Amino acid sequence: MSWFHPCFIIPCYNHGHTVPAVIDALQHFAYPIIVIDDGSDPITKNILTQQAQRPLVEIITLANNRGKGYAVMTAIKHAAKQNYSHAIQIDADGQHDLTTVNDLLTVAHQHPTVLISGKPIYDDSIPKSRLYGRYITHFWVWIETLSLTIKDSMCGFRCYPINPIMKTLNQHNFSHRMEFDTEIMVRFYWNNGDIRFIDTKVIYPEGGISHFDALWDNIKISWMHTKLFLGMLPRIPTLLKRHQARSQHWSSHGERGTVLGIKLLLAIYTLLGRKVVNGLLTLVIGYYYLTSKTARQASEQYLHQLQTYAEQQQLPLPEKLTTYRHLLSFGHTTLDKLAAWKGDYDADNLTIHGQHHFDNIVASHQGVVILGSHLGNLELCRALSQRHKNIKINALVFTEHAAHFNSVLKAVNPDSNLNLIHVNQLGADTAIMLQQKVERGEWVVIVGDRTSVANEKRVGWANFLGQKAPFPHGPFILAAVLKTPVYLLFGLRDDSQSIPHFNVYFEPFSEQITLPRATRNAALQTVVEHYATRLEHYTLQAPLQWYNFFNFWQLSEKKNDK
């Protein structure tokens, strides 16, 4: 496309008091403004008649109220006849921060065939029911597209590329009401359309007009999602093929997707409760099982290694050790983490093995290092410290999105004493910062079963389930530098209980790890082997709660070079 000639479209129904200010904000862009009067009341009609006298403003009047979706489709078809290149939809109620219109125009000019949408950033004015309801729609849209590409499908601040969107409009009979915004985006994606997002602030003005009917609009939205879900089923091969083609491109966004998933799960959990989420998890994990070949193969490899070792050692294992149940266990643990962050779990949900060790640390006000793992639920240390508000827990994570996770934690529970710290590698700066924390009596939590891609040579090889596996030196070196007592923490869900219950194992690992210079390598090897032995012991107690979904017995994609 060698030309860029957009117009603004504003669906309006009884928004006479707010639409003039919206037009004021748009006029300096010098693009045509099309207002669709969707059967408004006489007061609004009079105001719109006055607005029609302004330059570049055109009013299209519908005799009766037909719904927002019908108004937007009317405007897009009118824009197509007038040979505009893009239709930029702006809601008439003044909710959108119109200072981001220039960003929308810039991205649309750079990517002329892409549907550009606002990704709302809300303040405290949004009703919580509306916020949680949006997350439920996000969930269904991700199912209907088998993708996390569509980050928000309900924002009325967006830019439609006319020619591509007309192809989609001409292929289907669309809903006329509130559900149109979501439906057009999903079907555009199905047509191989590209969708991008820009952040935009959204407010809910006091006394603002809302035409959302809590009963009928929710019924219509539910029916729309039913139709889209059924429409997705025959498209599964095409959607999966598209997802696989884009997977490498989106790999750098994996952690952001995790944050979005956590927010979505939190919203559904808060709004509908755990039983509903458990039911949804069976569907989500079923999809993940079918589409995530890497995780599925890693699970199969782990379970094969586990069962082989158990047979050799004549050790009993639980029945039904399948990959699907393994992945489902991971889903339930993710939900358990949310509950722990929210403060829904306390000592009544825990059976603590080693309570006296925990009590002694609390009484001494001593900083300690806690070695965890990706076995079970490490966030149960939050529940363990629930009764002791003076305990500050610092968890080291190797992801650049730690700040995003911290914001989620604070949103879940403003009183949370769990702080995530992003580290690229365990260098001198990290050690100094953590030294100050333990001197203040804070806890430092780090996992001992994940090697760093940047420092794969700094590992020790130890037997784990009958085969040598690499364990990072970094956590044990850090503990030695901090010169504090070191404890192990394993939080394992008891799946035999009808209500959430956990066995928390809190045990001393070392009064202080020492690494004499003359025998440093041998001392490190001893410490690594001790950790691997204890990790294996607890893994055998709850084998489906092992969540290292990669080839644990080799470095990256290399062969074992131990």
Side-chain angles (χ1 to χ4, degrees), residues 112 118 243 413 425 461 506 559:
H243 177 72
N413 187 345
Q425 55 184 0
W461 293 85
F506 195 82
K559 295 181 179 178

Side-chain angles (χ1 to χ4, degrees), residues 369 371 426 446-450 472-480 513:
V369 170
L371 291 175
L426 298 176
I446 186 170
V447 297
D449 61 342
R450 285 280 176 93
H473 281 162
F476 308 103
I477 294 175
L478 174 66
I513 294 177

Side-chain angles (χ1 to χ4, degrees), residues 47 60 118 173 232 283 337 366 370 381 441 449 507-508 518 534:
I47 293 173
I60 298 176
N173 293 320
M232 175 272 296
L283 297 175
K337 291 180 180 182
Q366 185 177 22
I370 297 177
C381 60
D449 61 342
E507 64 178 53
R534 300 310 295 157

Side-chain angles (χ1 to χ4, degrees), residues 5-6 8 26-33 56:
H5 185 40
F8 295 106
L26 298 177
Q27 278 222 307
H28 79 275
F29 291 101
Y31 291 128
I33 301 171
L56 297 175

Side-chain angles (χ1 to χ4, degrees), residues 142-431:
W142 294 342
I143 293 294
E144 291 150 7
T145 58
L146 301 184
S147 169
L148 297 175
T149 298
I150 299 179
K151 297 175 175 59
D152 187 286
S153 66
M154 303 178 73
C155 184
F157 179 68
R158 57 179 62 179
C159 178
Y160 293 108
I162 295 294
N163 288 338
I165 208 68
M166 282 300 298
K167 293 179 181 178
T168 302
L169 286 176
N170 290 333
Q171 291 173 355
H172 306 279
N173 293 320
F174 282 87
S175 306
H176 290 179
R177 299 285 173 178
M178 295 287 188
E179 62 271 28
F180 171 80
D181 285 340
T182 295
E183 184 179 9
I184 185 65
M185 193 172 280
V186 170
R187 293 192 183 278
F188 183 74
Y189 182 87
W190 284 356
N191 276 3
N192 208 35
D194 195 5
I195 302 171
R196 302 195 181 201
F197 294 84
I198 62 169
D199 289 340
T200 183
K201 294 180 181 179
V202 176
I203 63 170
Y204 279 72
E206 186 175 353
I209 298 174
S210 174
H211 300 299
F212 187 85
D213 187 308
L215 175 61
W216 289 109
D217 281 327
N218 275 321
I219 291 174
K220 292 172 183 176
I221 289 172
S222 297
W223 174 239
M224 174 201 66
H225 283 307
T226 300
K227 292 190 297 182
L228 291 177
F229 177 78
L230 295 175
M232 175 272 296
L233 296 177
R235 292 178 170 88
I236 288 177
T238 301
L239 293 173
L240 292 180
K241 184 177 180 180
R242 180 180 182 183
H243 177 72
Q244 292 169 356
R246 294 167 61 92
S247 61
Q248 184 173 359
H249 175 75
W250 292 106
S251 61
S252 61
H253 302 284
E255 294 292 346
R256 293 185 187 271
T258 300
V259 175
L260 287 171
I262 288 173
K263 289 182 177 179
L264 170 65
L265 194 61
L266 168 65
I268 300 174
Y269 171 73
T270 302
L271 189 64
L272 301 177
R274 185 176 186 114
K275 288 185 178 179
V276 173
V277 178
N278 284 341
L280 292 175
L281 276 176
T282 61
L283 297 175
V284 174
I285 297 301
Y287 160 69
Y288 187 67
Y289 173 82
L290 293 173
T291 60
S292 183
K293 182 178 179 181
T294 300
R296 188 172 66 247
Q297 289 180 339
S299 173
E300 291 169 351
Q301 179 194 43
Y302 158 71
L303 292 177
H304 175 73
Q305 182 69 37
L306 171 75
Q307 290 166 334
T308 300
Y309 178 69
E311 290 176 4
Q312 292 173 348
Q313 301 297 317
Q314 297 183 340
L315 300 173
L317 287 176
E319 297 180 354
K320 298 181 180 179
L321 294 181
T322 66
T323 293
Y324 173 76
R325 289 172 59 84
H326 188 193
L327 296 174
L328 184 60
S329 175
F330 174 68
H332 286 303
T333 293
T334 301
L335 181 56
D336 291 334
K337 291 180 180 182
L338 280 180
W341 292 346
K342 278 176 63 66
D344 290 350
Y345 295 156
D346 55 28
D348 292 336
N349 297 99
L350 312 176
T351 297
I352 303 172
H353 306 265
Q355 176 74 60
H356 60 289
H357 299 303
F358 176 80
D359 292 339
N360 290 340
I361 296 173
V362 173
S364 68
H365 302 286
Q366 185 177 22
V368 297
V369 170
I370 297 177
L371 291 175
S373 69
H374 290 82
L375 173 71
N377 185 358
L378 187 58
E379 276 75 8
L380 289 172
C381 60
R382 171 72 181 86
L384 193 63
S385 63
Q386 188 82 354
R387 296 166 298 172
H388 305 278
K389 301 300 183 182
N390 59 315
I391 295 178
K392 179 69 175 293
I393 302 171
N394 303 279
L396 273 62
V397 295
F398 295 89
T399 167
E400 62 181 0
H401 299 301
H404 294 282
F405 281 104
N406 273 329
S407 67
V408 174
L409 285 174
K410 288 302 179 184
V412 173
N413 187 345
D415 298 325
S416 173
N417 284 330
L418 178 62
N419 177 47
L420 302 182
I421 301 175
H422 167 228
V423 291
N424 286 317
Q425 55 184 0
L426 298 176
D429 292 343
T430 302

Side-chain angles (χ1 to χ4, degrees), residues 467-528:
Q467 187 173 336
K468 293 284 187 179
F471 290 86
H473 281 162
F476 308 103
I477 294 175
L478 174 66
V481 170
L482 296 180
K483 298 179 181 179
T484 65
V486 182
Y487 290 81
L488 296 179
L489 178 66
F490 297 95
L492 306 180
R493 184 177 57 253
D494 185 352
D495 289 324
S496 66
Q497 301 279 357
S498 58
I499 60 174
H501 195 84
F502 307 88
N503 288 304
V504 177
Y505 298 90
F506 195 82
E507 64 178 53
F509 182 75
S510 175
E511 187 62 32
Q512 182 180 320
I513 294 177
T514 56
L515 302 174
R517 180 173 299 181
T519 58
R520 187 171 186 269
N521 290 337
L524 262 176
Q525 183 63 28
T526 299
V527 173
V528 166

